[in-house]
Amino acid sequence: MLDRERAILEFNRRVLAQARREDVPLLERLRYVCIVSSNMDEFFEVRFADVLESARAAGAAEPTLQFAPVAADAHALIDDQYAVFNDEVMPRLQQRGIVVLNHADRDAAQRAWVDQFFQRQVRPLLVPVGLDPAHPFPQVANKSLNFIVRLGGRDAFGRANTIAIVKVPRVLPRVIRLPEAVSGGRQAFVLLSSVIRAHLSELFPGRQVEAFSQFRVTRDSDLEIDEADVANLRQALRSGLTTRHFGRAIRLEVVHSCPAELSGFLLSQFGLPDIALYRVNGPVNLVRLNQLIDQVVDVPDAEPAPPLRFPAFEPAWPRGLLPGKTIFARLRERDVLLHQPFESFEPVVQFLREAVNDPDVLAIKQTIYRTGSESPLMDLLIEAARRGKEVMAVVELKARFDEEANINWAERLEAVGAQVVYGVVGLKTHAKLLLVTRREDVGGGRRLRRYAHLSTGNYNPKTARLYTDVGLLTADPDLTADADAVFQQIASLGKTRPLRALLQAPFTLHRRMMQLLAQVEQAAREGRRARVVVKVNALTDAALIDGLLRAGRAGAAVDLVVRGACLLPPGLPGVSDRIRVRSIVGRFLEHTRVLYFAWGEADDEEALYLSSADWMGRNMFRRIEVAWPVRDPQLRQRVIDECLVPYLHDRLDAWEQQPDGRYRRVGDDTAPDTPRPCAQQALMGRAR
């Protein structure tokens, strides 16, 4: 299997390649640069922190030596990222009249405005700390902006302490737009770091600033909670959030001009080896350049010019829902498939809103993983509880970096009487389920009917416009009964009857996937049709990889569309030469999980599942996940036509993985006039 850390870095190289594409609008190219920075932050906060901890636990004398090759790849990627930022994106933006002005670039009027901004908005919030035995090195928060300064002369008390630290408060904006009166007819911006740098000497009156540098430290940000040893998980996580920003240091970033003595001093303070030092040619936190993107105003040029942003796209109303008919009435007739972001997420909100307002709805149950700090769905659950409906919310408190938002939602739900549970000890609840129970007149009597929404993605209206996901609205008795059984199990921790249609991790999902791969393998050995198409975000589980390899060696055709890390090396003669691996990196983040298997020609010799789970060990064995079959022939064909076929023929956003784990952009070696179909563009066109 390929190396997981390098696979993650390879994915970020594919994201960075978006910033080089001439057909991508300039501000979107800058956004891809920012996305790489955000992804790399998480890589160091979580993944690299884990591997270092594993090495230490294994007793490695020098754990960093084991990961020197990965660190070298990370250094090279970050160097390339700043080269794209400095040499390609920013010069092109400057040509369009969008400039970031350093102190040397600012004229007298601009310097006067910046000075006034510093004195009024910045200086009162800065507290420089000169280091001595009574002023030890301050606590520096994870990913915060700071300055280290070397001073000449003596302090007010006649001492020659030379090092000072300036911490920059997070409340200050990192990108400041200059007013039109001093912008010189352009859209001009200054970075907060440049503003402070220009005024450093004012923070140390009577001293000489001899050298300085921005710096930023990335820390281990995983919350380590022993669930089996705490009385209240919510309280334990709430306490952990207060110390998350001060975990073990993993990476140190300084500007490329930082003197070696200052970077060495910082490395010693944070207990880091030289390999953890990253010298960058620009701001130490490119993520904050998103603030520039948000502030740029689209101004028509005198001559036509390419747009700065992607054209606005409005999701279509799902074709399966008719105006004037309630969603409940439609689902009694047939299931409805929702494909975001090409179709609107609003029907999911409407489904819950109808349930809240319907006096015949008695109970609502929902899983909550990443809904965001503001959510109309959570507001509706709260309203349902206020109206006396039975509301059960399975809130996953351990959703990384969403812990605080989820704790807050849990407390608000409990305050109005909703039943809130936090999943199962040792497992994350990653399944995406919404279940409504309604009392209805049927055959002259009253009985209960269930309706459900199952999804490959989170209940977050904002990301539903940016991520590709598939959801199913259904009144299917098997699927809804199974969904109810999953909720009952999570709440009661008791054993349940075997599920009728749903596959559930950690119980049946992995085993069923292995069985289907074995069926495909056997069909290939017998000369029958044998086909596997899997679309997931990551493929790292060793057993599933082995099952795919066996099927491929037996003669099955295997296509894998894996957005991120894929540890299966395709194209190895005699091993994986019938397996193709693609990655799609485009305007939207590919998030759909679709699993297709065929082991013959008959209709009952194929299976199509949608799932909340990636093909990773953690999803299969350490999470509550679900996968569900798409049994309606028309909907199944639609999933194939929209979620699989276009991605297998994409020649614009697609990359093909090579046997060594590197990727090659599909179509780069074709003639310029060769058609280059794009899955996402085709689906947007279909939606329009």
Side-chain angles (χ1 to χ4, degrees):
M1 286 170 45
L2 299 169
D3 181 83
R4 183 173 176 185
E5 285 68 48
R6 287 189 163 181
I8 294 172
L9 295 176
E10 276 292 320
F11 166 67
N12 282 292
R13 283 202 171 277
R14 300 196 292 280
V15 177
L16 182 60
Q18 293 292 100
R20 289 190 163 110
R21 282 176 53 170
E22 292 293 331
D23 61 328
V24 173
L26 275 172
L27 288 179
E28 306 297 347
R29 293 171 66 177
L30 178 57
R31 196 184 305 277
Y32 283 117
V33 172
C34 297
I35 290 171
V36 172
S37 282
S38 177
N39 290 349
M40 291 303 292
D41 284 349
E42 185 168 343
F43 174 77
F44 284 102
E45 288 177 287
V46 178
R47 186 62 200 165
F48 209 70
D50 284 349
V51 295
L52 287 175
E53 185 60 35
S54 297
R56 290 191 177 99
E62 285 289 341
T64 54
L65 295 179
Q66 295 178 260
F67 306 106
V70 175
D73 284 352
H75 276 279
L77 172 59
I78 291 171
D79 289 345
D80 287 348
Q81 177 194 12
Y82 277 86
V84 171
F85 172 73
N86 289 311
D87 302 336
E88 299 184 40
V89 176
M90 295 311 293
R92 296 286 297 277
L93 285 172
Q94 186 170 351
Q95 293 172 7
R96 297 290 300 273
I98 301 164
V99 294
V100 176
L101 300 175
N102 294 321
H103 180 70
D105 301 325
R106 298 194 280 264
D107 61 26
Q110 291 163 348
R111 291 184 180 185
W113 187 92
V114 167
D115 179 69
Q116 187 177 68
F117 178 85
F118 175 80
Q119 303 300 339
R120 292 181 176 179
Q121 304 293 333
V122 181
R123 177 65 184 90
L125 298 178
L126 300 181
V127 181
V129 177
L131 304 187
D132 69 4
H135 299 77
F137 194 91
Q139 278 276 50
V140 172
N142 180 42
K143 300 186 296 186
S144 62
L145 175 62
N146 308 271
F147 280 82
I148 182 170
V149 183
R150 188 184 71 211
L151 300 169
R154 295 183 177 273
D155 66 16
F157 305 95
R159 295 171 301 183
N161 53 311
T162 60
I163 301 296
I165 302 296
V166 181
K167 299 200 298 182
V168 181
R170 294 186 187 274
V171 295
L172 290 170
R174 294 302 191 260
V175 181
I176 303 104
R177 184 181 177 118
L178 294 179
E180 290 185 12
V182 297
S183 64
R186 299 176 293 178
Q187 298 192 61
F189 301 86
V190 294
L191 303 182
L192 179 64
S193 54
S194 173
V195 172
I196 295 173
R197 173 183 174 178
H199 295 82
L200 271 178
S201 59
E202 297 180 30
L203 302 178
F204 304 97
R207 306 291 299 273
Q208 296 83 45
V209 174
E210 296 179 342
F212 62 89
S213 175
Q214 304 171 43
F215 74 90
R216 179 176 181 257
V217 64
T218 311
R219 297 181 179 274
D220 183 348
S221 296
D222 249 0
L223 294 179
E224 299 294 339
I225 301 293
D226 185 353
E227 297 177 54
D229 194 39
V230 298
N232 187 308
L233 179 61
R234 189 180 72 198
Q235 291 178 4
L237 282 168
R238 177 77 81 181
S239 299
L241 286 170
T242 62
T243 59
R244 162 181 265 172
H245 295 303
F246 303 100
R248 188 178 74 250
I250 301 296
R251 170 182 61 161
L252 173 66
E253 295 167 278
V254 299
V255 296
H256 67 100
S257 59
C258 178
E261 64 173 288
L262 295 185
S263 61
F265 176 81
L266 289 171
L267 287 172
S268 67
Q269 290 294 322
F270 294 121
L272 290 171
D274 290 344
I275 201 172
L277 177 66
Y278 289 75
R279 293 181 174 272
V280 300
N281 186 17
V284 295
N285 186 358
L286 290 176
V287 178
R288 295 303 190 104
L289 268 296
N290 277 307
Q291 295 179 11
L292 183 148
I293 298 170
D294 294 339
Q295 294 182 68
V296 168
V297 178
D298 285 314
V299 179
D301 293 319
E303 298 180 4
L308 292 170
R309 295 180 173 88
F310 285 129
F313 173 71
E314 193 61 34
W317 188 255
R319 67 193 77 172
L321 295 175
L322 305 176
K325 178 179 282 191
T326 69
I327 292 179
F328 293 127
R330 183 70 177 105
L331 297 184
R332 286 193 289 271
E333 298 171 358
R334 67 180 303 170
D335 294 349
V336 174
L337 193 75
L338 309 174
H339 191 183
Q340 285 99 34
F342 313 106
E343 292 182 319
S344 174
F345 184 76
E346 181 58 29
V348 181
V349 181
Q350 181 174 319
F351 174 59
L352 184 54
R353 185 180 295 115
E354 286 182 13
V356 172
N357 294 328
D358 189 336
D360 289 326
V361 168
L362 306 180
I364 302 171
K365 301 173 183 177
Q366 185 175 355
T367 59
I368 300 168
Y369 193 74
R370 297 189 193 278
T371 62
S373 57
E374 298 179 2
S375 170
L377 289 157
M378 297 301 97
D379 290 337
L380 286 167
L381 285 182
I382 291 170
E383 179 61 24
R386 286 194 180 118
R387 295 189 181 197
K389 300 182 189 296
E390 293 296 319
V391 174
M392 174 186 171
V394 181
V395 182
E396 182 45 72
L397 297 182
K398 304 182 298 299
R400 187 180 292 130
F401 304 126
D402 278 80
E403 297 95 343
E404 186 170 7
N406 288 1
I407 288 171
N408 292 338
W409 284 122
E411 291 174 346
R412 290 184 61 186
L413 285 162
E414 286 182 336
V416 294
Q419 175 65 53
V420 178
V421 296
Y422 304 133
V424 180
V425 170
L427 303 173
K428 283 187 179 181
T429 302
H430 193 248
K432 313 304 191 301
L433 298 170
L434 171 57
L435 184 69
V436 172
T437 303
R438 188 173 186 268
R439 183 186 289 125
E440 298 181 356
D441 293 318
V442 179
R446 300 279 278 174
R447 71 175 182 87
L448 300 182
R449 187 199 294 265
R450 301 185 187 98
Y451 301 84
H453 175 258
L454 303 89
S455 180
T456 66
N458 299 309
Y459 288 108
N460 188 319
K462 291 183 179 178
T463 58
R465 298 181 70 93
L466 304 172
Y467 295 6
T468 69
D469 275 303
V470 176
L472 182 72
L473 287 164
T474 182
D476 181 286
D478 289 345
L479 290 176
T480 56
D482 284 353
D484 192 49
V486 172
F487 279 111
Q488 294 290 344
Q489 182 190 63
I490 294 172
S492 70
L493 304 179
K495 295 181 179 180
T496 65
R497 59 164 178 79
L499 300 181
R500 303 173 190 173
L502 283 184
L503 303 177
Q504 183 188 5
F507 304 113
T508 58
L509 178 54
H510 189 268
R511 183 169 69 247
R512 182 57 178 155
M513 295 297 102
M514 294 298 295
Q515 290 171 348
L516 288 167
L517 290 174
Q519 284 181 259
V520 174
E521 177 190 356
Q522 184 61 32
R525 294 190 187 283
E526 296 172 357
R528 295 183 288 126
R529 178 177 178 237
R531 186 85 168 99
V532 177
V533 186
V534 170
K535 185 175 186 294
V536 289
N537 302 320
L539 172 58
T540 64
D541 182 75
L544 290 169
I545 289 174
D546 189 52
L548 289 164
L549 290 171
R550 289 201 308 270
R553 283 198 300 270
V558 179
D559 276 292
L560 308 174
V561 183
V562 185
R563 185 195 78 223
C566 176
L567 305 193
L568 186 156
L572 292 174
V575 178
S576 57
D577 44 6
R578 289 187 60 82
I579 299 178
R580 292 192 309 165
V581 177
R582 289 184 144 223
S583 173
I584 305 294
V585 181
R587 172 174 177 172
F588 304 118
L589 184 121
E590 288 297 330
H591 197 250
T592 313
R593 289 95 167 191
V594 185
L595 318 168
Y596 175 82
F597 309 87
W599 55 94
E601 299 290 346
D603 290 344
D604 61 352
E605 292 178 318
E606 70 173 10
L608 177 70
Y609 285 88
L610 299 172
S611 179
S612 63
D614 287 311
W615 278 23
M616 306 171 71
R618 71 184 188 192
N619 296 85
M620 296 295 168
F621 301 110
R622 300 194 299 278
R623 292 186 174 189
I624 303 293
E625 303 269 17
V626 295
W628 65 97
V630 182
R631 299 189 287 198
D632 182 296
Q634 291 185 6
L635 296 185
R636 181 164 57 186
Q637 191 60 49
R638 186 180 158 205
V639 171
I640 292 171
D641 290 344
E642 294 185 14
C643 301
L644 297 181
V645 172
Y647 293 96
L648 297 179
H649 293 86
D650 191 301
R651 298 185 63 83
L652 186 65
D653 293 336
W655 297 73
E656 282 192 350
Q657 188 176 12
Q658 307 303 299
D660 63 356
R662 299 181 187 275
Y663 283 75
R664 178 185 63 83
R665 188 190 289 279
V666 175
D668 272 357
D669 54 355
T670 58
D673 57 348
T674 302
R676 301 186 70 176
C678 174
Q680 292 186 359
Q681 290 179 8
L683 291 167
M684 283 192 288
R686 179 180 294 192
R688 291 192 187 97

Short mmCIF file of all heavy atoms in Angstrom, two decimals, residues 84-110:
data_model
loop_
_atom_site.label_atom_id
_atom_site.label_comp_id
_atom_site.label_asym_id
_atom_site.label_seq_id
_atom_site.Cartn_x
_atom_site.Cartn_y
_atom_site.Cartn_z
N VAL A 84 3.48 30.00 -6.45
CA VAL A 84 2.24 30.26 -7.21
C VAL A 84 1.62 31.57 -6.74
O VAL A 84 1.17 32.40 -7.54
CB VAL A 84 1.25 29.09 -7.04
CG1 VAL A 84 -0.10 29.45 -7.64
CG2 VAL A 84 1.80 27.83 -7.69
N PHE A 85 1.59 31.78 -5.43
CA PHE A 85 1.00 32.99 -4.86
C PHE A 85 1.75 34.24 -5.33
O PHE A 85 1.14 35.21 -5.81
CB PHE A 85 1.03 32.89 -3.33
CG PHE A 85 0.61 34.15 -2.61
CD1 PHE A 85 -0.71 34.55 -2.59
CD2 PHE A 85 1.56 34.93 -1.95
CE1 PHE A 85 -1.09 35.71 -1.92
CE2 PHE A 85 1.18 36.08 -1.28
CZ PHE A 85 -0.14 36.47 -1.26
N ASN A 86 3.09 34.21 -5.23
CA ASN A 86 3.89 35.40 -5.52
C ASN A 86 4.11 35.64 -7.00
O ASN A 86 4.13 36.79 -7.45
CB ASN A 86 5.26 35.29 -4.82
CG ASN A 86 5.16 35.44 -3.32
OD1 ASN A 86 4.53 36.36 -2.82
ND2 ASN A 86 5.78 34.53 -2.59
N ASP A 87 4.29 34.57 -7.76
CA ASP A 87 4.73 34.71 -9.14
C ASP A 87 3.61 34.60 -10.17
O ASP A 87 3.78 35.04 -11.31
CB ASP A 87 5.79 33.65 -9.47
CG ASP A 87 6.99 33.73 -8.55
OD1 ASP A 87 7.23 34.82 -7.99
OD2 ASP A 87 7.68 32.70 -8.37
N GLU A 88 2.48 34.02 -9.78
CA GLU A 88 1.41 33.80 -10.75
C GLU A 88 0.12 34.54 -10.38
O GLU A 88 -0.41 35.30 -11.19
CB GLU A 88 1.14 32.30 -10.90
CG GLU A 88 2.36 31.51 -11.39
CD GLU A 88 2.04 30.04 -11.63
OE1 GLU A 88 0.95 29.74 -12.14
OE2 GLU A 88 2.88 29.19 -11.28
N VAL A 89 -0.37 34.31 -9.18
CA VAL A 89 -1.69 34.84 -8.84
C VAL A 89 -1.65 36.33 -8.54
O VAL A 89 -2.42 37.12 -9.12
CB VAL A 89 -2.28 34.06 -7.64
CG1 VAL A 89 -3.61 34.67 -7.22
CG2 VAL A 89 -2.47 32.59 -8.01
N MET A 90 -0.77 36.77 -7.64
CA MET A 90 -0.78 38.18 -7.24
C MET A 90 -0.39 39.12 -8.39
O MET A 90 -1.02 40.19 -8.54
CB MET A 90 0.13 38.38 -6.03
CG MET A 90 -0.35 37.65 -4.78
SD MET A 90 -2.12 37.92 -4.40
CE MET A 90 -2.13 39.67 -3.98
N PRO A 91 0.61 38.78 -9.23
CA PRO A 91 0.87 39.69 -10.37
C PRO A 91 -0.32 39.82 -11.31
O PRO A 91 -0.58 40.91 -11.84
CB PRO A 91 2.07 39.02 -11.06
CG PRO A 91 2.76 38.26 -9.99
CD PRO A 91 1.66 37.74 -9.11
N ARG A 92 -1.06 38.73 -11.50
CA ARG A 92 -2.23 38.80 -12.38
C ARG A 92 -3.33 39.66 -11.75
O ARG A 92 -4.03 40.39 -12.45
CB ARG A 92 -2.75 37.38 -12.65
CG ARG A 92 -1.76 36.50 -13.43
CD ARG A 92 -1.69 36.92 -14.90
NE ARG A 92 -2.96 36.74 -15.56
CZ ARG A 92 -3.39 35.58 -16.06
NH1 ARG A 92 -2.63 34.49 -15.97
NH2 ARG A 92 -4.56 35.51 -16.65
N LEU A 93 -3.50 39.54 -10.43
CA LEU A 93 -4.47 40.39 -9.76
C LEU A 93 -4.06 41.86 -9.84
O LEU A 93 -4.91 42.76 -10.01
CB LEU A 93 -4.64 39.97 -8.30
CG LEU A 93 -5.44 38.69 -8.06
CD1 LEU A 93 -5.36 38.26 -6.60
CD2 LEU A 93 -6.91 38.90 -8.44
N GLN A 94 -2.77 42.12 -9.74
CA GLN A 94 -2.29 43.49 -9.84
C GLN A 94 -2.61 44.06 -11.22
O GLN A 94 -2.98 45.25 -11.34
CB GLN A 94 -0.79 43.54 -9.58
CG GLN A 94 -0.23 44.97 -9.52
CD GLN A 94 1.20 44.99 -9.03
OE1 GLN A 94 1.74 43.98 -8.59
NE2 GLN A 94 1.84 46.15 -9.10
N GLN A 95 -2.52 43.25 -12.24
CA GLN A 95 -2.88 43.71 -13.58
C GLN A 95 -4.35 44.08 -13.67
O GLN A 95 -4.73 44.91 -14.51
CB GLN A 95 -2.56 42.62 -14.60
CG GLN A 95 -1.08 42.34 -14.78
CD GLN A 95 -0.82 41.12 -15.66
OE1 GLN A 95 -1.75 40.55 -16.25
NE2 GLN A 95 0.43 40.71 -15.75
N ARG A 96 -5.16 43.48 -12.81
CA ARG A 96 -6.60 43.80 -12.78
C ARG A 96 -6.92 44.89 -11.77
O ARG A 96 -8.09 45.12 -11.45
CB ARG A 96 -7.40 42.53 -12.47
CG ARG A 96 -7.30 41.43 -13.50
CD ARG A 96 -8.00 41.79 -14.81
NE ARG A 96 -9.41 42.03 -14.60
CZ ARG A 96 -10.35 41.08 -14.62
NH1 ARG A 96 -10.00 39.82 -14.86
NH2 ARG A 96 -11.62 41.38 -14.44
N GLY A 97 -5.89 45.55 -11.24
CA GLY A 97 -6.13 46.67 -10.33
C GLY A 97 -6.42 46.26 -8.91
O GLY A 97 -6.99 47.05 -8.14
N ILE A 98 -6.03 45.05 -8.52
CA ILE A 98 -6.22 44.56 -7.15
C ILE A 98 -4.83 44.35 -6.56
O ILE A 98 -4.10 43.46 -7.00
CB ILE A 98 -7.04 43.26 -7.13
CG1 ILE A 98 -8.40 43.49 -7.77
CG2 ILE A 98 -7.19 42.73 -5.71
CD1 ILE A 98 -9.12 42.22 -8.16
N VAL A 99 -4.45 45.18 -5.58
CA VAL A 99 -3.07 45.18 -5.11
C VAL A 99 -3.03 45.06 -3.59
O VAL A 99 -3.90 45.56 -2.88
CB VAL A 99 -2.33 46.45 -5.55
CG1 VAL A 99 -2.18 46.49 -7.06
CG2 VAL A 99 -3.04 47.71 -5.05
N VAL A 100 -1.99 44.38 -3.12
CA VAL A 100 -1.66 44.34 -1.69
C VAL A 100 -0.37 45.13 -1.53
O VAL A 100 0.68 44.74 -2.08
CB VAL A 100 -1.49 42.90 -1.19
CG1 VAL A 100 -1.05 42.89 0.27
CG2 VAL A 100 -2.79 42.12 -1.35
N LEU A 101 -0.42 46.23 -0.81
CA LEU A 101 0.69 47.16 -0.74
C LEU A 101 1.55 46.91 0.50
O LEU A 101 1.05 46.98 1.63
CB LEU A 101 0.17 48.60 -0.72
CG LEU A 101 -0.66 49.04 -1.94
CD1 LEU A 101 -1.22 50.44 -1.73
CD2 LEU A 101 0.18 48.98 -3.22
N ASN A 102 2.83 46.64 0.27
CA ASN A 102 3.79 46.61 1.36
C ASN A 102 4.15 48.04 1.75
O ASN A 102 3.83 49.00 1.04
CB ASN A 102 5.05 45.85 0.95
CG ASN A 102 4.76 44.38 0.70
OD1 ASN A 102 3.99 43.77 1.43
ND2 ASN A 102 5.37 43.82 -0.33
N HIS A 103 4.87 48.19 2.87
CA HIS A 103 5.23 49.53 3.33
C HIS A 103 6.02 50.28 2.25
O HIS A 103 5.76 51.48 2.02
CB HIS A 103 6.05 49.42 4.62
CG HIS A 103 6.46 50.75 5.17
ND1 HIS A 103 5.57 51.63 5.75
CD2 HIS A 103 7.69 51.36 5.23
CE1 HIS A 103 6.20 52.72 6.14
NE2 HIS A 103 7.50 52.59 5.84
N ALA A 104 6.94 49.59 1.57
CA ALA A 104 7.75 50.26 0.56
C ALA A 104 6.92 50.70 -0.64
O ALA A 104 7.31 51.62 -1.36
CB ALA A 104 8.89 49.34 0.12
N ASP A 105 5.79 50.04 -0.87
CA ASP A 105 4.95 50.36 -2.03
C ASP A 105 3.99 51.51 -1.76
O ASP A 105 3.41 52.07 -2.70
CB ASP A 105 4.12 49.14 -2.44
CG ASP A 105 4.98 47.94 -2.79
OD1 ASP A 105 6.07 48.15 -3.34
OD2 ASP A 105 4.55 46.79 -2.50
N ARG A 106 3.80 51.87 -0.50
CA ARG A 106 2.77 52.86 -0.15
C ARG A 106 3.31 54.28 -0.32
O ARG A 106 4.45 54.59 0.07
CB ARG A 106 2.29 52.62 1.29
CG ARG A 106 1.65 51.25 1.48
CD ARG A 106 0.89 51.14 2.78
NE ARG A 106 1.69 50.88 3.95
CZ ARG A 106 1.93 49.68 4.48
NH1 ARG A 106 1.42 48.59 3.90
NH2 ARG A 106 2.66 49.55 5.56
N ASP A 107 2.47 55.16 -0.89
CA ASP A 107 2.87 56.56 -1.02
C ASP A 107 2.60 57.29 0.29
O ASP A 107 2.13 56.70 1.28
CB ASP A 107 2.17 57.22 -2.20
CG ASP A 107 0.64 57.23 -2.07
OD1 ASP A 107 0.13 57.21 -0.93
OD2 ASP A 107 -0.05 57.27 -3.13
N ALA A 108 2.88 58.59 0.31
CA ALA A 108 2.79 59.35 1.56
C ALA A 108 1.37 59.34 2.12
O ALA A 108 1.17 59.18 3.34
CB ALA A 108 3.26 60.78 1.32
N ALA A 109 0.37 59.53 1.24
CA ALA A 109 -1.01 59.55 1.72
C ALA A 109 -1.42 58.20 2.28
O ALA A 109 -2.12 58.12 3.31
CB ALA A 109 -1.94 59.96 0.59
N GLN A 110 -1.00 57.15 1.63
CA GLN A 110 -1.33 55.80 2.10
C GLN A 110 -0.64 55.50 3.43
O GLN A 110 -1.23 54.90 4.34
CB GLN A 110 -0.94 54.77 1.04
CG GLN A 110 -1.82 54.86 -0.21
CD GLN A 110 -1.22 54.16 -1.40
OE1 GLN A 110 -0.04 53.79 -1.39
NE2 GLN A 110 -2.00 53.99 -2.46
#
